[in-house]
Amino acid sequence: MSRLIRKVSFQSPVIRHVRSVGSAPPTKKYTPRRALMYVPGNDERKVAKIPKLGADCICLDCEDGVSINKKLEARTNIRRILDERSVDFGQSECSVRVNSVESGLCEEDLKAVLGGNNLPMALHLPKVDEPDQLIWFAEKLNEFLLHQGKAVSPIGLIIFIESARALMRLPEICEQASLLRTMCPIIPEALVFGSDDFVADIGATRTPEARELLYARQKLVTVAKAFQLQAIDLVHIDYKDLEGLKVQSAEGARMGFTGKQVIHPGQVSVVQAAFAPSQDRIEWATQLIKEFREHEANGHGAFTFRGSMIDMPLVKQAQNIVDMKDKL
Amino acid sequence: MSRLIRKVSFQSPVIRHVRSVGSAPPTKKYTPRRALMYVPGNDERKVAKIPKLGADCICLDCEDGVSINKKLEARTNIRRILDERSVDFGQSECSVRVNSVESGLCEEDLKAVLGGNNLPMALHLPKVDEPDQLIWFAEKLNEFLLHQGKAVSPIGLIIFIESARALMRLPEICEQASLLRTMCPIIPEALVFGSDDFVADIGATRTPEARELLYARQKLVTVAKAFQLQAIDLVHIDYKDLEGLKVQSAEGARMGFTGKQVIHPGQVSVVQAAFAPSQDRIEWATQLIKEFREHEANGHGAFTFRGSMIDMPLVKQAQNIVDMKDKL
Amino acid sequence: MSRLIRKVSFQSPVIRHVRSVGSAPPTKKYTPRRALMYVPGNDERKVAKIPKLGADCICLDCEDGVSINKKLEARTNIRRILDERSVDFGQSECSVRVNSVESGLCEEDLKAVLGGNNLPMALHLPKVDEPDQLIWFAEKLNEFLLHQGKAVSPIGLIIFIESARALMRLPEICEQASLLRTMCPIIPEALVFGSDDFVADIGATRTPEARELLYARQKLVTVAKAFQLQAIDLVHIDYKDLEGLKVQSAEGARMGFTGKQVIHPGQVSVVQAAFAPSQDRIEWATQLIKEFREHEANGHGAFTFRGSMIDMPLVKQAQNIVDMKDKL
């Protein structure tokens, strides 16, 4: 059994439809997602390759990678993969992308994906344009998970930003997302920049240098980090151009993205290298955490480290780097 | 008579000061505005050239192209042009730029421009800084149009964003604009980036590469598209530099702008070429619409086209491309 | 005595905790801040160099330039500098950076800095992330200044934007800042981009070209100007690289920044030159305004000047340049 598929335990319904206000919000271990790879849920040939992909996050897709007349097949197959644990995800996170709230397909997707005893580690919700779509999503999630009396550990939520409207309303979308964990067993963890839908929506044309997307990418990184979310960068569609992929990945990492979408197995290792912390960063983080623990033991909060005042956010960043190093 | 000057029909007052909430909002055919050309309303020599300009949109100007002691002359002359239909606009849209709400001149401009039997196809409102200015504008419009019992088909509204404050409040300005069609016979259709006023307001200096304006231009495109508005790019003031104009126009088009302001007849054709859809895009759009109609006939909503899920926004984008092709 | 240290006059308490709504807001002469230089408040060697620095604004630092175990020493020393007027600031503005509201150190800093008879011209508040921090700051300010019955002329406030959250909420932070002058004797005057904290917060990596910071810098300029605030650009950390400093300063000036942070005396003159209008620009602006006035008198709006079409926006840009020249 893959260790990253959650096991649902049937218990008395201790988790209620709406968590009581005073209860602590759910927490979940940090999952680095340097390379987020799509595998169409209905494509048996590609599903069979999962054990060898090595991507940090495998996204079993019900959405854009699946044609309209294969939707039922995709969601049924994904449910079977979860139920039978027949596919070895190894170190990869097992996650599922459902169709968008607006598509009219999302409810059936959730019903299938959440209907069994094993749940994915994370759900991807594409084409989020309005905060209200997240409320609908949370209600559906509770409907399928909780009325059966299932007690689940929280599921990660990965939100796709793919339109002008979504980018414009991004702070409100993230504000609503941050409230979800009080409503249902969901923890928002990442924003994904759906660049090609975005480009179509604003009528732009992609260039190799992607100057036309600077505003969108940098706003997405900023808002993601303001809400402590991961930021996952655009797809490099020309999957044979590994040199271009390397350049684009490095730039994304410099901008503050934490990972990148990949569409071909050959892209995984290039992307992972670009989004892995360098030796310098690992040394910085390790030493910072060591000194933080010493200061904490002595009752000090903020302290100076290599000329910078260190407080909790920086300690958390350092911890993320060390966590990522530990996982690699 | 130019086919693009609207004829006002005198009727019983079926259109009221404020449309009733339940009534359908007014609609108006899509007018591509690749090249938006200014002609000072008082400059007879330039007005005489209108028939040969070939710009998609001719803007008879009362504002920055007209000095303060010629304002009366400009608005009187524009009224005469509309009344007498003496100028052949050919395929060009006949539109008028009034002075800003803050200028204290706007009311007199509107009174003159809207006082006759023929109305312009569109009005340009410069230096919109606050949503409230649009409400004032709508009220004045109703005052001059509707109390006379004129029933008019809707007039397009082109909003100029020319200051730091306007850019900051752009979503609120567009939100207010989108409500105007329930208040008066106005349909917001475009945002124009008034780059030189903007540059003066933020104290920047223009460079040929315009890196200093990336944030402003890309935010404007994003918000425009979030509200389904056209986005009209900056002026290239060095009107002899057609090569530079070509480069800048192409970049604007790649960013998602739908057109560009021009200040000299020699700029029109260069700009139109850059903002016209390519043969590839026309073929894509034509085929997409054909398949959409087939799926629609079979009762399907979303469908897959060349690997992408197609829904209404993409169909509308395709329709705009075909419409533009049909007009060329 | 340095002319730029304010003298507090003891009077009956005419300035109250909250100014009455109808009273005119306080005003303060415009202080250009091309070069903003940090001097750690506890570093006697660096304090001694102040008379020769020539920076437009000297920032006596209690914050990041001072280690945690030197905070008391720094604030005590700054109080002594203000009280004794022992340091000649020459033409430089005397200002103080306290620690952030979140640090837990700000109250003690303010108590020391504001406790004497002489006050700094301006206060720098770092790491402002939320509008509410400004309200807390205003209340503390009033507590230390006003209950003693001191009538003070207004103190400038310089706000540091150093996180993703601060950048996201920048309009709300500035909106709150603009209300401060009705609450306490403070006039918000500038935003500073704290680039290194920002970069750490979003997980970015600095490059020489700083493409990764375009969104942050240009949003900061835009919002600053929307609130009539100065915008002070990032530090060039490699203080020996004067050529790189020159390039970066020039670009900041072109973007609309009004000044730059400096960390070494050798950086001051390079930065000041970049943020002062050049002789060429002054000559261009002076001549353009002269010709504009002639054309205006003759009833022309737009006119051609050195190959470019000139209208009001460019006239405004020219006026900005002449205004700045007059202020230096």
Side-chain angles (χ1 to χ4, degrees):
Chain A
M1 172 202 170
S2 166
R3 72 179 180 83
L4 288 173
I5 297 182
R6 298 175 186 290
K7 177 111 182 63
V8 174
S9 54
F10 283 81
Q11 302 182 342
S12 58
V14 286
I15 297 173
R16 300 185 193 289
H17 187 79
V18 176
R19 286 168 193 277
S20 62
V21 172
S23 69
T27 57
K28 181 167 168 291
K29 187 174 168 296
Y30 184 85
T31 307
R33 293 185 185 92
R34 296 169 302 169
L36 186 172
M37 168 119 190
Y38 299 102
V39 176
N42 62 313
D43 191 328
E44 286 295 353
R45 194 179 57 83
K46 289 181 178 170
V47 167
K49 289 182 180 171
I50 287 173
K52 291 185 178 169
L53 290 176
D56 304 278
C57 174
I58 303 285
C59 173
L60 297 168
D61 195 11
C62 297
E63 202 224 3
D64 278 357
V66 177
S67 65
I68 189 73
N69 56 356
K70 299 288 186 183
K71 296 293 186 191
L72 176 60
E73 189 179 324
R75 67 172 76 103
T76 307
N77 200 39
I78 290 169
R79 166 72 172 276
R80 195 176 49 73
I81 292 169
L82 292 168
D83 278 351
E84 299 181 1
R85 300 164 193 168
S86 51
V87 179
D88 179 14
F89 281 77
Q91 296 296 316
S92 303
E93 180 184 46
C94 170
S95 63
V96 176
R97 179 162 74 170
V98 293
N99 285 280
S100 72
V101 172
E102 286 294 294
S103 69
L105 300 165
C106 188
E107 184 162 356
E108 285 302 306
D109 290 340
L110 288 173
K111 196 172 178 178
V113 169
L114 304 178
N117 289 347
N118 298 316
L119 299 177
M121 296 293 287
L123 287 170
H124 303 252
L125 186 61
K127 298 182 178 57
V128 176
D129 280 345
E130 305 283 347
D132 284 358
Q133 296 174 348
L134 294 173
I135 297 175
W136 182 94
F137 184 76
E139 286 170 354
K140 286 297 154 196
L141 213 84
N142 279 330
E143 186 180 324
F144 294 123
L145 282 179
L146 302 181
H147 82 290
Q148 307 168 40
K150 291 181 191 173
V152 297
S153 49
I155 299 172
L157 177 63
I158 297 166
I159 295 170
F160 282 58
I161 301 303
E162 317 193 55
S163 72
R165 190 150 190 91
L167 189 70
M168 184 179 75
R169 302 201 65 188
L170 192 51
E172 296 149 272
I173 289 169
C174 291
E175 193 72 51
Q176 182 59 62
S178 71
L179 301 176
L180 288 188
R181 62 176 73 193
T182 65
M183 299 170 62
C184 64
I186 271 285
I187 302 200
E189 292 186 330
L191 299 183
V192 172
F193 180 43
S195 56
D196 293 294
D197 272 284
F198 181 79
V199 156
D201 191 42
I202 68 167
T205 306
R206 284 284 301 274
T207 61
E209 207 212 3
R211 186 168 135 126
E212 69 282 353
L213 292 177
L214 276 179
Y215 169 76
R217 289 165 83 198
Q218 295 189 1
K219 177 171 181 178
L220 188 136
V221 166
T222 300
V223 179
K225 300 308 172 77
F227 285 94
Q228 325 271 19
L229 300 172
Q230 296 169 351
I232 299 175
D233 204 5
L234 45 79
V235 173
H236 188 61
I237 297 177
D238 182 357
Y239 60 84
K240 289 177 182 167
D241 171 31
L242 295 183
E243 193 50 45
L245 176 68
K246 190 175 171 180
V247 170
Q248 200 185 72
S249 300
E251 193 194 45
R254 283 197 303 271
M255 280 188 192
F257 282 98
T258 55
K260 192 172 178 67
Q261 301 163 76
V262 300
I263 51 169
H264 191 274
Q267 293 182 317
V268 171
S269 63
V270 174
V271 165
Q272 286 179 328
F275 288 95
S278 66
Q279 279 308 113
D280 278 2
R281 288 288 279 169
I282 292 170
E283 191 276 331
W284 170 86
T286 309
Q287 192 60 28
L288 188 152
I289 289 165
K290 182 167 164 285
E291 295 200 17
F292 167 72
R293 292 204 176 119
E294 290 166 11
H295 282 85
E296 199 182 33
N298 295 330
H300 302 298
F303 65 101
T304 303
F305 175 71
R306 300 184 185 175
S308 292
M309 187 73 69
I310 304 301
D311 52 10
M312 281 312 295
L314 269 175
V315 174
K316 206 170 168 187
Q317 283 172 46
Q319 191 61 54
N320 286 349
I321 290 165
V322 172
D323 285 351
M324 183 176 283
K325 185 209 68 172
D326 290 347
K327 177 135 191 239
L328 301 183
Chain B
M1 172 205 170
S2 166
R3 70 177 180 86
L4 289 174
I5 297 182
R6 299 176 185 289
K7 178 113 181 60
V8 174
S9 53
F10 284 81
Q11 303 182 341
S12 58
V14 287
I15 297 174
R16 299 183 196 292
H17 187 80
V18 176
R19 287 168 193 276
S20 64
V21 172
S23 69
T27 58
K28 181 167 168 291
K29 186 175 170 295
Y30 183 85
T31 307
R33 293 185 186 91
R34 295 168 303 168
L36 186 173
M37 168 122 191
Y38 299 102
V39 176
N42 62 314
D43 191 328
E44 286 295 354
R45 192 179 59 82
K46 289 182 179 170
V47 167
K49 288 182 181 172
I50 287 175
K52 291 186 177 171
L53 289 176
D56 304 278
C57 175
I58 303 284
C59 173
L60 296 169
D61 195 12
C62 296
E63 203 225 2
D64 278 355
V66 177
S67 67
I68 189 73
N69 57 356
K70 298 287 185 183
K71 296 292 187 192
L72 176 61
E73 189 178 323
R75 66 171 78 102
T76 307
N77 200 40
I78 290 169
R79 167 71 171 275
R80 194 177 48 73
I81 292 168
L82 292 169
D83 278 350
E84 299 180 0
R85 302 164 193 168
S86 51
V87 178
D88 180 12
F89 280 77
Q91 296 297 314
S92 303
E93 180 184 47
C94 170
S95 63
V96 176
R97 180 164 72 170
V98 293
N99 285 280
S100 72
V101 172
E102 287 293 294
S103 69
L105 301 164
C106 188
E107 184 162 357
E108 284 303 305
D109 290 339
L110 288 174
K111 195 172 178 178
V113 169
L114 304 179
N117 289 347
N118 299 316
L119 299 178
M121 297 292 288
L123 288 170
H124 303 251
L125 187 61
K127 297 182 180 57
V128 176
D129 280 345
E130 304 283 346
D132 284 358
Q133 295 174 348
L134 293 173
I135 298 175
W136 182 94
F137 183 77
E139 287 170 353
K140 286 297 154 195
L141 213 85
N142 279 329
E143 185 179 326
F144 294 125
L145 282 180
L146 301 181
H147 82 289
Q148 307 169 42
K150 291 181 189 173
V152 296
S153 49
I155 299 172
L157 177 63
I158 297 165
I159 295 170
F160 282 57
I161 300 303
E162 316 194 55
S163 72
R165 189 150 189 90
L167 190 71
M168 184 179 76
R169 302 200 65 186
L170 191 51
E172 295 149 273
I173 289 169
C174 292
E175 193 72 50
Q176 182 60 63
S178 71
L179 300 176
L180 288 188
R181 61 176 73 193
T182 65
M183 300 170 61
C184 64
I186 272 284
I187 302 201
E189 293 186 329
L191 298 183
V192 172
F193 181 42
S195 56
D196 293 295
D197 268 285
F198 182 80
V199 156
D201 192 42
I202 70 169
T205 305
R206 284 285 300 274
T207 61
E209 206 213 3
R211 186 167 135 125
E212 67 283 353
L213 292 178
L214 276 178
Y215 169 76
R217 288 166 84 198
Q218 296 189 1
K219 178 171 181 179
L220 188 135
V221 166
T222 300
V223 179
K225 299 309 173 76
F227 287 94
Q228 324 270 20
L229 300 172
Q230 295 170 348
I232 298 175
D233 204 5
L234 44 79
V235 173
H236 188 60
I237 55 173
D238 183 357
Y239 59 82
K240 288 177 183 167
D241 171 31
L242 295 184
E243 193 49 45
L245 176 68
K246 190 176 172 181
V247 169
Q248 201 185 71
S249 300
E251 193 194 45
R254 281 197 304 271
M255 280 187 193
F257 283 99
T258 55
K260 192 173 177 69
Q261 301 162 78
V262 300
I263 49 169
H264 191 276
Q267 294 182 317
V268 171
S269 63
V270 174
V271 165
Q272 286 179 329
F275 288 95
S278 65
Q279 279 308 113
D280 278 0
R281 288 289 278 171
I282 292 169
E283 191 275 333
W284 171 85
T286 307
Q287 193 60 30
L288 189 153
I289 289 166
K290 181 168 164 284
E291 295 200 16
F292 168 72
R293 291 203 177 122
E294 291 165 10
H295 281 86
E296 200 182 33
N298 295 329
H300 301 300
F303 65 101
T304 303
F305 176 70
R306 298 183 186 178
S308 293
M309 187 73 69
I310 304 301
D311 53 10
M312 281 312 295
L314 268 175
V315 174
K316 205 169 168 187
Q317 284 172 45
Q319 191 61 54
N320 287 349
I321 288 165
V322 172
D323 286 352
M324 184 176 281
K325 185 209 69 171
D326 290 346
K327 177 137 190 239
L328 301 185
Chain C
M1 172 205 171
S2 166
R3 70 177 181 83
L4 289 174
I5 296 183
R6 297 174 187 291
K7 177 112 183 66
V8 174
S9 53
F10 283 81
Q11 301 183 344
S12 58
V14 285
I15 298 174
R16 300 187 193 288
H17 186 79
V18 175
R19 286 167 192 277
S20 62
V21 172
S23 68
T27 58
K28 181 166 168 291
K29 186 178 167 292
Y30 184 86
T31 307
R33 294 185 184 92
R34 296 169 301 170
L36 186 173
M37 168 121 188
Y38 299 103
V39 176
N42 62 314
D43 191 328
E44 285 296 355
R45 194 179 58 83
K46 290 181 177 170
V47 167
K49 288 181 179 171
I50 287 173
K52 291 186 177 170
L53 290 177
D56 304 278
C57 174
I58 303 285
C59 174
L60 297 168
D61 195 11
C62 297
E63 202 224 3
D64 278 357
V66 177
S67 65
I68 189 72
N69 56 357
K70 299 288 186 183
K71 296 292 187 191
L72 176 61
E73 189 178 325
R75 68 172 77 102
T76 308
N77 199 38
I78 290 169
R79 167 72 172 276
R80 194 176 47 73
I81 292 169
L82 291 168
D83 278 349
E84 298 181 1
R85 301 165 192 168
S86 51
V87 179
D88 179 12
F89 280 77
Q91 296 296 315
S92 303
E93 180 184 46
C94 169
S95 62
V96 176
R97 180 163 73 170
V98 294
N99 285 280
S100 72
V101 172
E102 287 293 294
S103 69
L105 300 164
C106 187
E107 184 161 357
E108 285 303 305
D109 290 340
L110 287 174
K111 195 172 178 178
V113 169
L114 305 178
N117 289 348
N118 299 316
L119 300 177
M121 296 293 287
L123 288 169
H124 304 251
L125 187 61
K127 298 182 178 59
V128 176
D129 281 344
E130 304 283 346
D132 283 358
Q133 295 174 349
L134 294 173
I135 298 175
W136 183 93
F137 183 76
E139 286 170 354
K140 286 298 154 195
L141 213 86
N142 279 330
E143 185 180 324
F144 295 123
L145 281 180
L146 301 181
H147 82 289
Q148 306 168 41
K150 291 181 190 173
V152 296
S153 49
I155 299 172
L157 177 63
I158 297 165
I159 295 171
F160 283 57
I161 300 304
E162 316 192 57
S163 72
R165 189 151 190 90
L167 190 70
M168 184 179 75
R169 301 201 64 187
L170 192 50
E172 296 149 271
I173 288 169
C174 291
E175 194 72 52
Q176 181 61 61
S178 71
L179 301 175
L180 288 188
R181 61 176 74 194
T182 64
M183 299 170 62
C184 64
I186 271 284
I187 302 201
E189 292 186 329
L191 298 183
V192 172
F193 181 43
S195 55
D196 293 295
D197 271 285
F198 181 80
V199 156
D201 192 41
I202 69 166
T205 306
R206 285 284 300 275
T207 61
E209 205 212 4
R211 185 167 137 127
E212 69 281 353
L213 292 177
L214 276 178
Y215 169 77
R217 288 165 83 197
Q218 295 189 1
K219 178 172 180 178
L220 188 136
V221 166
T222 300
V223 180
K225 300 308 173 76
F227 286 94
Q228 324 271 18
L229 300 172
Q230 296 170 348
I232 299 174
D233 204 5
L234 46 79
V235 174
H236 189 59
I237 298 175
D238 182 357
Y239 61 84
K240 289 177 181 166
D241 171 32
L242 295 184
E243 193 50 44
L245 177 68
K246 189 174 172 181
V247 170
Q248 200 185 71
S249 301
E251 194 195 44
R254 282 197 303 271
M255 280 189 194
F257 282 99
T258 55
K260 192 173 178 67
Q261 302 162 76
V262 300
I263 50 170
H264 192 274
Q267 294 182 316
V268 171
S269 62
V270 174
V271 165
Q272 286 178 329
F275 288 95
S278 68
Q279 278 309 112
D280 278 1
R281 288 289 281 169
I282 292 170
E283 190 275 332
W284 171 86
T286 309
Q287 192 61 26
L288 188 153
I289 289 167
K290 181 166 164 287
E291 295 200 16
F292 165 72
R293 291 201 177 122
E294 291 165 10
H295 281 86
E296 197 183 35
N298 295 329
H300 300 300
F303 64 101
T304 302
F305 176 72
R306 298 182 186 177
S308 291
M309 192 73 73
I310 305 298
D311 55 9
M312 280 311 294
L314 274 170
V315 174
K316 278 182 202 162
Q317 287 173 45
Q319 193 61 54
N320 284 349
I321 290 163
V322 172
D323 286 351
M324 164 85 76
K325 184 207 66 171
D326 292 345
K327 278 169 192 161
L328 295 184

